[in-house]
Each structure stands twice: as C-alpha cells, then as structure tokens.
Amino acid sequence: MIYNVDKETLPREDMEALQLRRLKDLCERVYARVPFYKKKFDEAGITPADIRSLNDLQYLPFTEKQDLRNHYPYGMFAVPKENIVRLHASSGTTGRATVVGYTQRDLDIWAECIARSLMMAGATRRDIIHNAYGYGLFTGGLGVHFGAEKLGATVVPVSGGATRRQISLLKDFGPTVICCTPSYMIFLHETAREMGIDFRELPLKIGVFGAEPWTDEMRRDIEAKTGITAVNIYGLSEVMGPGVSMECHEAQCGMHIYEDHFLPEIIDPSNGKAMGPGETGELVFTTLTKEGIPLIRYRTKDLSSLNYTPCVCGRSTVRMDRIKGRSDDMLIIRGVNVFPSQIESLLLETAGLTPHYQIIVRREGPLDTMEVQVEVDEKMFSDAIKNLQHRERELQKNIKEFLGVTASVKLVEPQSIERSVGKAKRVIDQRGE
Ligand code: ADP
Ligand code: K
Ligand code: ZN
C-alpha cells in the first residue's frame, strides 16, 4: 500500500517539472527573506530568475552545518518568528547547536513523510506503534509520533531508556511496529532474553530502524532473532528529521527519497562536482517546500549513492543506498551525533586539562561506548589523586550534560598521548573490528 499514490508514483518527467517549479519558488523565497542566501547568490552572480532547469542547480551555492552555527539561533529562518510553531536542536554546547524551526505547514509535511514511511514499512492504521526514539529536542521521537498519528495508527510514546519497562510494554500492549535505533533493538532483545521473554512470541512484526549507521548483516541478525521485518529510515534535523527517505519492505533495497520535498544530489566531497547514478559520494539535499528554515544544497556529509531504476513496490521515487560513512569526523554514539570538536571545547573549559586527547569508541555487546583520554597539565599531574578524580567526574558530567552521551573519562600523564605531525588522530573507532 502506498500512502500518497499521486506523489510516490509520479512519472519522472512530471516529478522533474514539479521539482523545477518548487525550486524556482524556493530560490525566490530565500533570496527575498534570508540575507545569508541573498549574499551567497550575489557573490555567485546568480539571481532566482536564472534558474530555468534542474540542471541549473549546480550554479547554486552549497549550505553547510557551519552556516547554521554561524547564524545561531534564528539567522537562517525564512519566516517571521511568530509563524514558527516548533523548534528542535541537535546536541551541542551552546552556540554550537544546530537549531531548526518549523511552520505548521512544515510539521504537516513532516507528518505526511512519516506516514508514507510507516506505510512503506508495511504498517497501516490498524497497527500499534511502540516509539522508542527519544522525545525532546531531538527530532526522532516527536517526528515519528505525529506521523504515526497522521497514519491513524495507535502510537505508544515510550521514548528511550527504562529498558525493562519497555519489554513489559511490548508484552502487555502488543505493539506490531517498533521504532528505535538498530542498536537499541538489539539491546531490547538481549534484555528480553534475560527476562525470559522470546521476541518471536510477541505480536511485533515490523521494525523501523535509523538515526545511526547499520549494516545488512545486522538487519539479517535482528530479523532472525526477533522474527520481524527490519527496514531502514533516514533523515537529519537540518533537512527535516527522520523521514527524508525510507526503505520499502517489499524490496528492502535502498531508501526511497520523498523527492517532491527533498531534491537529492551526489557530489564528490573533495571538489563539489556532481557524480552520476550509482556512484558513491556525499549526499546533498535542497528542501523544495520547507518554510521555516529552507536549505539550498545542504551538504549532509553522509556518503551514499542514488538508484533511479524502478522498484518492485511500484514507487517511482529515487532510492538512496544505505549510508556508507561520513566525509567528516562526526561520530554517532547510540544515535547521538558527536563531533570531536565538541569534546575539545569542553576540555578547554575544564581547569587542569589540555587539548591533547583521544576518543576511543568500542562496541560492547550491542551498545557503543565512548572513552575520552585526556592529558592533564604538569600542575594538575602533581596534585593529589582525589583532585584528578574530581576532574574526571566533572568532565564526564559536562559531556553528559552538553552532548547527551555517557562517556568514561580517563586522565593521563602529560605527553602520554602520541603526537602526530599532520592531522591529529582524535578518534580510534574499534567498532566493527
Ligand atoms: P536523527 O534524529 O534523524 O538521527 P540527526 O540530525 O540527529 O537526526 O542525525 C542525522 C544523522 O544521523 C545523519 O546525517 C546520518 O549521519 C545519521 N543517520 C540518520 N539515519 C541514518 C540511517 N538510517 N543510517 C545511517 N545513518 C543515519
Ligand atoms: K543521528
Ligand atoms: Zn520500493
């Protein structure tokens, strides 16, 4: 079943005509209302009237996460503030967070994208949906929530955490669909086993997993252990939140992008040049209909490729491949985005610590763990051990508070972290080893 047959099965020429109309309108809007874009267009010597075909997209400037940070909090908004009805933000220390605002129409479109996604996963209004994505400033929880209601399903707003209680709810409420990160699903399964509950005996039949990278092997593993069909959902706050693209349960082969709202491109991250279908590069999105914070050619830093071949599910929309990596140093720890630079700024705010550090990421069981090793300065090193422990706890608390992830902190002697001549090696990622 297809939620919006009209848009999701549009022939390519009609889709492109719609995209061009919307692109022109978008350029007019941002040029008139967002000084950042007016300046960028002027510098590139281009006006909205110059956009005559989709091919002209290549002349438009890119937008990056740093641009949103530079205009924190509201500088990139394209509507008067009273028209914004909700804000979300990605994790980060003050001034570094990325803030996004939605008009009522933006929220309606988002809910529809999620409704399309849930139906693409095989859900209908008769399903009960256990939503374990985090509610709050993150886009995951509320994004999925309103889409599930729009579909007309029954949503259980559990949010993250309190895992044993989640298992009880899965048993008692009998949801047929679960939405969470893939690693949390594995953790839920393990916890259930400890509690003597077999997932295969629950009514659960569909899992909608995303917010962090995972593999096809992990999918097969989850499916075998839990007896559900596992599908991949993708999105990012800057562009909207979850539901930018979604995998259909029929093919389980790439995520259909809602092209009537998000115009995708793949570029070579080293020079910004367009790459062809099937070639792996950085995914770039232009938000064709967004009002609150419309973005032109937003560089996601996520690596993927595009597949325009027809899909067995009957949808005509382009599919993006599973995310293959990042073109920057962002880490995703249990669904939460973490940049080494955020850790660094916290170190600099803590007395006695130096900016010589290393982040070690491991996978222990199903869950990612993060250890931050930091060199103390000479003075701190000569101090009493209890002072060191105090600093460790202080940093640990700050990381939890500002970044929303739990890290273990280990203070080490001055000069003990290896110095590098080129780019410092900040992250040692031992997951997947
Ligand atoms: P979300 O809450 O949807 O994860 P964020 O803005 O916090 O939104 O994070 C977005 C980033 O998370 C993406 O740029 C991508 O790196 C990662 N991500 C989201 N969904 C997936 C997915 N299905 N597979 C791999 N990575 C994903
Ligand atoms: K994420
Ligand atoms: Zn399909």
Side-chain angles (χ1 to χ4, degrees), residues 267-281:
I267 60 158
D268 177 338
S270 66
N271 59 22
K273 293 263 181 334
M275 295 178 81
E279 290 185 312
T280 298

Side-chain angles (χ1 to χ4, degrees), residues 86-92 100 102 110 133-144 159 211 237 240-242 333-338 402-405:
R86 197 194 301 163
L87 296 175
H88 278 289
S90 69
S91 68
V100 287
Y102 303 77
W110 190 8
Y133 282 116
Y135 280 64
L137 277 178
F138 285 118
T139 49
L142 288 171
V144 168
S159 194
S237 326
M240 178 176 77
I333 311 290
R334 306 186 190 184
V336 179
N337 305 351
V338 176
F402 288 107
L403 307 185
V405 291

